[in-house]
Amino acid sequence: MSTFADTRRKAIQPTLARLPPLTSLRAFVATARHLNFVRAAEELHVTSAAVGQQIRLLEDYLGQPLFNRVRGQLHLTPAGLALMPGLTGAFDAVLAAMAQFVESSDDQPIRVSVAPSFASKWLIPRLDALRRAAPGLQILVDASTQLINLEAGDADCVIRYGSGPYPGLVVDHLFSEAVLPLCSAEFADTNRLWGNPEAVEGVALLHEEGAEHDHSCPDWAGWLRAAGLSHPQSQGGFRLNQSSLVLDAALAGQGLGLGKIRLAEADIRAGRLVSPFGVPQAVSSSYFFATTAHSARSMRVDLFRQWLLAEARALQTMDEITARRIRPAADMMAAE
């Protein structure tokens, strides 16, 4: 025959539905470990007042105190001493499970959707820096201009070149873009392009078309009109459907292209590409990182995002990139 005490014990027996708030249990474990509200608050990244409030909520739930103060020093009560081992072990088990999950999930690559030109000219040359910054982080680079559905899981995140703002997603602006006439130094020498924009009418021009083309970016007809030059009727150049192909053709001495400076940065700094005339013309499109709110909470995706933002902050300005793009006067005279 059950007693009143048995009935009461069953009524207050903890279940998942009746557990005290996890925040209160976590505050108790941290405080019991440190026996100090301030250090517990530092561990939990909250205020000591917030820790104290959570402890009081747990004590109210249990109906008895868990700590007392003796000469200014915090001590566990008998109830606190009884509760501490089980809860500490439980949280240790949770932490071990999460650590095991994170370790195993390192084998799962982050799928990043990115346009082919940005992948080949900007992202891939920096993957070794990513490896050093985040050892073990795996990246699957999906180079495509196809539209993808992040909510459907087509990718974990994207890097897009456009005008934004991509509503419904977590978005970071990485950096802006500008274009500049670019070619190889040998091509500029052969066609006497140095400081001579009029000579453009006698050379093959490289035109960008296709999905990567930015409609805020001038084509050659628009650039020449802005420079006060007539647009040549026929140039015998090439039409290419990716920004990187324009740069590759320019590198190979196939013509003069309007190249995106951020994509050409490494080749400009190394002197493989030069701009014999003209000034950078800014475009309205920029590079953006985007992901879903769910993926943004992933440690792996956030690590990649933070690395991208750090790389973007470290980029040189457009003026710094193009500061030495013009052939020195001494070299020009030597070529005469």
Side-chain angles (χ1 to χ4, degrees), residues 117-123 175 177-178 208 212 242-244 247 259-268 273 287:
S117 293
F118 188 88
S120 64
K121 294 295 185 180
W122 196 94
L123 181 59
F175 42 84
E177 184 59 281
E208 182 184 335
E212 291 188 357
Q242 292 180 12
S243 303
S244 60
L247 299 179
K260 293 186 173 80
I261 294 176
R262 288 300 180 191
L263 301 185
E265 179 178 353
D267 290 317
I268 294 172
L273 284 176
Y287 299 94

Side-chain angles (χ1 to χ4, degrees), residues 27-314:
F28 168 76
V29 169
T31 306
R33 181 162 52 243
H34 295 289
L35 292 177
N36 185 289
F37 284 127
V38 173
R39 288 202 291 273
E42 290 172 351
E43 178 181 347
L44 299 176
H45 302 291
V46 297
T47 65
S48 57
V51 171
Q53 182 183 26
Q54 292 300 322
I55 295 297
R56 286 192 294 274
L57 288 174
L58 183 58
E59 290 175 332
D60 290 343
Y61 176 89
L62 297 173
Q64 50 191 310
L66 299 172
F67 298 94
N68 57 36
R69 286 188 178 275
V70 178
R71 299 185 183 89
Q73 177 65 47
L74 201 63
H75 294 273
L76 285 161
T77 65
L81 287 168
L83 192 60
M84 181 182 176
L87 285 183
T88 300
F91 274 101
D92 286 344
V94 169
L95 290 172
M98 291 302 299
Q100 184 177 12
F101 173 79
V102 170
E103 183 177 351
S104 63
S105 67
D106 283 343
D107 295 332
Q108 300 298 316
I110 300 171
R111 185 174 177 182
V112 183
S113 175
V114 59
S117 293
F118 188 88
S120 64
K121 294 295 185 180
W122 196 94
L123 181 59
I124 289 176
R126 287 172 167 80
L127 288 184
D128 190 55
L130 174 60
R131 179 187 59 80
R132 293 194 302 270
L137 185 66
Q138 299 293 315
I139 300 292
L140 190 160
V141 179
D142 181 4
S144 172
T145 57
Q146 296 296 315
L147 293 176
I148 60 110
N149 187 337
L150 286 173
E151 294 289 354
D154 292 347
D156 295 298
C157 53
V158 300
I159 300 172
R160 286 291 179 260
Y161 176 67
S163 57
Y166 311 109
L169 298 175
V170 177
V171 179
D172 293 285
H173 178 268
L174 296 177
F175 42 84
S176 57
E177 184 59 281
V179 295
L180 191 68
L182 294 171
C183 62
S184 69
E186 293 77 10
F187 188 88
D189 289 341
T190 299
N191 293 278
R192 296 181 175 272
L193 294 177
W194 296 104
N196 183 21
E198 290 79 8
V200 72
E201 297 195 16
V203 303
L205 298 180
L206 306 173
H207 304 268
E208 182 184 335
E209 298 180 353
E212 291 188 357
H213 178 62
D214 174 7
H215 293 291
S216 74
C217 177
D219 57 13
W220 269 114
W223 193 92
L224 290 167
R225 281 195 301 270
L229 301 172
S230 61
H231 180 238
Q233 296 299 309
S234 176
Q235 288 304 313
F238 301 98
R239 297 186 179 276
L240 305 151
N241 72 343
Q242 292 180 12
S243 303
S244 60
L245 295 180
V246 171
L247 299 179
D248 288 342
L251 282 165
Q254 300 300 313
L256 179 69
L258 284 176
K260 293 186 173 80
I261 294 176
R262 288 300 180 191
L263 301 185
E265 179 178 353
D267 290 317
I268 294 172
R269 286 206 313 266
R272 292 186 293 268
L273 284 176
V274 299
S275 182
F277 53 78
V279 296
Q281 181 168 335
V283 297
S284 61
S285 291
S286 296
Y287 299 94
F288 296 88
F289 170 85
T291 187
T292 63
H294 174 75
S295 293
R297 293 190 290 270
S298 163
M299 286 182 286
R300 297 179 303 123
V301 172
D302 187 59
L303 188 61
F304 179 62
R305 170 180 170 270
Q306 294 297 336
W307 173 79
L308 275 177
L309 292 173
E311 287 290 311
R313 287 191 296 269

